[in-house]
Amino acid sequence: MKELSLHLLDIAQNSIAAGARHVDLTVEERGELIQLTVADDGRGMSPAFLASVTDPFTTTRTTRKVGLGLPLLRLAAEQTGGELRVESQLGVGTTVTATFHADHIDCPPLGDTASTVALLAQGLPEGMELTYTRRTGRGEFRFDTAEIRAVLGPDVPLSEPEVAEWMRSYVAEGEGETA
Amino acid sequence: MKSLEELRAIREKMQKQIDIRENSADDIRVVVGMATCGIAAGARPVLTAFLEEVAKRELKNVTVTQTGCIGVCRLEPIAEVYVPGEEKVTYVKLTPEKVPRIVAEHLVNHNPVTEYTIGAAE
């Protein structure tokens, strides 16, 4: 993955697959640290599955016996001197936290977080909401699909290409002000 | 600055088009693979390109959706196009540059771009 925002896009798909009703994405910059968090209220994992979840040969997918999302994120974080934490409880949800040292030469750029957020919102299953919080030393930006749906009303879905485009520009501009 | 006002304007425009859309039984579906394999290979800009192109041309009978791993990871980014009454077409090794041609020739004019399909790649 060439950008941290691509990891974010990838890991959030796990929350969708876990049948979550809410997924909360956070990107926080604190000094030289960048922390990515994906927290959901999906079905969660058993302690046994959780123990091996960053093993590439552990996966829920059916097309292959390997699952590389979390292992790749763990590798990327650890290569910068950071770490990956996964907390999960069956029936409650899962929280994935990856910490990166931005001043390390192996730290990928944060990249296009606005595209990640807009595309996730565009592809959300019915009945699922997403929030995105971007926090830096200069401020905070928050995006919530429930608010967007409230404006759009029942007839216009988030999956409309024009709505997706609007969301991307909206997030890009909003979080740009915290940069 | 992007405002919620702009979003309301989009809603109003869309609502006017809903009647037309409900009458069309010929909805075309574009499905982009967005699993780890697809994302790592560059599926995000491909999906963005499909959305941009469909929005630009105001194709009301096209829905763009996402799915997990399609199963041929080495040929990602992959998109499948479903046109009612026609065989499914699987496009492989996509780039954002290839997308406008697929939209123009396949989604609008119903001529699949054979050279980008899985048949041509294998």
Side-chain angles (χ1 to χ4, degrees), chain A residues 1 3 5-6 9-10 13 61 63-64 68-69 72 111-113 115-116 119-120 122-123 148 150-153 155-156 159-166 168-170 173-174 177, chain B residues 1-4 6-8 10-11 13-15 17-18 21 34-37 39-40 44-45 47-48 50-52 54-55 58 60 62 64-67 69-74:
Chain A
M1 301 278 177
E3 300 174 6
S5 64
L6 290 174
L9 177 60
D10 184 31
Q13 308 283 351
R61 72 171 172 181
T63 51
R64 285 274 187 288
L68 295 177
L72 284 174
D112 188 356
T113 44
S115 280
T116 283
L119 294 179
L120 281 169
Q122 193 266 342
I148 305 301
V151 173
L152 287 175
D155 298 333
V156 181
S159 58
E160 277 291 338
E162 235 177 295
V163 173
E165 292 262 288
W166 179 89
R168 185 159 62 100
S169 315
Y170 180 73
E173 285 186 18
E177 297 191 349
Chain B
M1 182 66 200
K2 288 277 158 188
S3 65
L4 292 175
E6 234 177 283
L7 189 60
R8 279 188 199 101
I10 293 174
R11 178 190 68 187
K13 194 174 117 198
M14 297 277 162
Q15 274 174 332
Q17 292 159 346
I18 280 166
R21 188 165 177 167
M34 293 294 286
T36 307
C37 47
I39 294 169
R44 191 180 66 184
L47 175 58
T48 302
F50 270 113
L51 290 166
E52 269 174 3
V54 169
E58 304 200 19
K60 293 304 157 200
V62 175
V64 181
T65 60
Q66 307 171 34
T67 188
C69 180
I70 291 168
V72 216
C73 307
R74 71 202 157 83

Side-chain angles (χ1 to χ4, degrees), chain A residues 68-124:
Chain A
L68 295 177
L70 283 169
L72 284 174
L73 178 58
R74 179 181 164 191
L75 178 72
E78 288 179 354
Q79 275 177 340
T80 72
E83 58 163 10
L84 177 76
R85 274 204 326 269
V86 186
E87 291 153 83
S88 188
Q89 211 182 324
L90 269 183
V92 178
T94 300
T95 299
V96 174
T97 311
T99 310
F100 291 81
H101 288 264
D103 54 346
H104 194 285
I105 192 159
D106 287 328
C107 189
L110 187 53
D112 188 356
T113 44
S115 280
T116 283
V117 172
L119 294 179
L120 281 169
Q122 193 266 342
L124 277 183

Side-chain angles (χ1 to χ4, degrees), chain A:
Chain A
M1 301 278 177
K2 289 178 182 152
E3 300 174 6
L4 298 183
S5 64
L6 290 174
H7 284 288
L8 206 55
L9 177 60
D10 184 31
I11 301 304
Q13 308 283 351
N14 296 344
S15 301
I16 296 173
R21 298 184 58 82
H22 291 95
V23 58
D24 298 315
L25 311 180
T26 309
V27 174
E28 188 171 1
E29 291 171 57
R30 275 176 310 179
E32 294 307 326
L33 290 183
I34 300 179
Q35 195 164 66
L36 311 181
T37 311
V38 178
D40 70 51
D41 57 359
R43 68 175 64 90
M45 294 178 262
S46 68
F49 194 87
L50 180 61
S52 66
V53 78
T54 61
D55 176 342
F57 297 100
T58 293
T59 185
T60 55
R61 72 171 172 181
T62 51
T63 51
R64 285 274 187 288
K65 284 182 178 153
V66 292
L68 295 177
L70 283 169
L72 284 174
L73 178 58
R74 179 181 164 191
L75 178 72
E78 288 179 354
Q79 275 177 340
T80 72
E83 58 163 10
L84 177 76
R85 274 204 326 269
V86 186
E87 291 153 83
S88 188
Q89 211 182 324
L90 269 183
V92 178
T94 300
T95 299
V96 174
T97 311
T99 310
F100 291 81
H101 288 264
D103 54 346
H104 194 285
I105 192 159
D106 287 328
C107 189
L110 187 53
D112 188 356
T113 44
S115 280
T116 283
V117 172
L119 294 179
L120 281 169
Q122 193 266 342
L124 277 183
E126 214 160 307
M128 183 172 175
E129 302 293 355
L130 172 147
T131 63
Y132 169 62
T133 307
R134 175 72 185 271
R135 211 173 285 131
T136 69
R138 296 199 47 204
E140 185 178 296
F141 168 76
R142 236 180 106 75
F143 172 83
D144 185 345
T145 53
E147 286 170 19
I148 305 301
R149 280 197 226 264
V151 173
L152 287 175
D155 298 333
V156 181
L158 295 177
S159 58
E160 277 291 338
E162 235 177 295
V163 173
E165 292 262 288
W166 179 89
M167 291 191 291
R168 185 159 62 100
S169 315
Y170 180 73
V171 172
E173 285 186 18
E175 70 177 354
E177 297 191 349
T178 68

Side-chain angles (χ1 to χ4, degrees), chain B residues 107-118:
Chain B
L107 306 192
V108 178
N109 291 323
H110 295 240
N111 292 317
V113 186
T114 315
E115 59 188 279
Y116 299 160
T117 60
I118 191 164

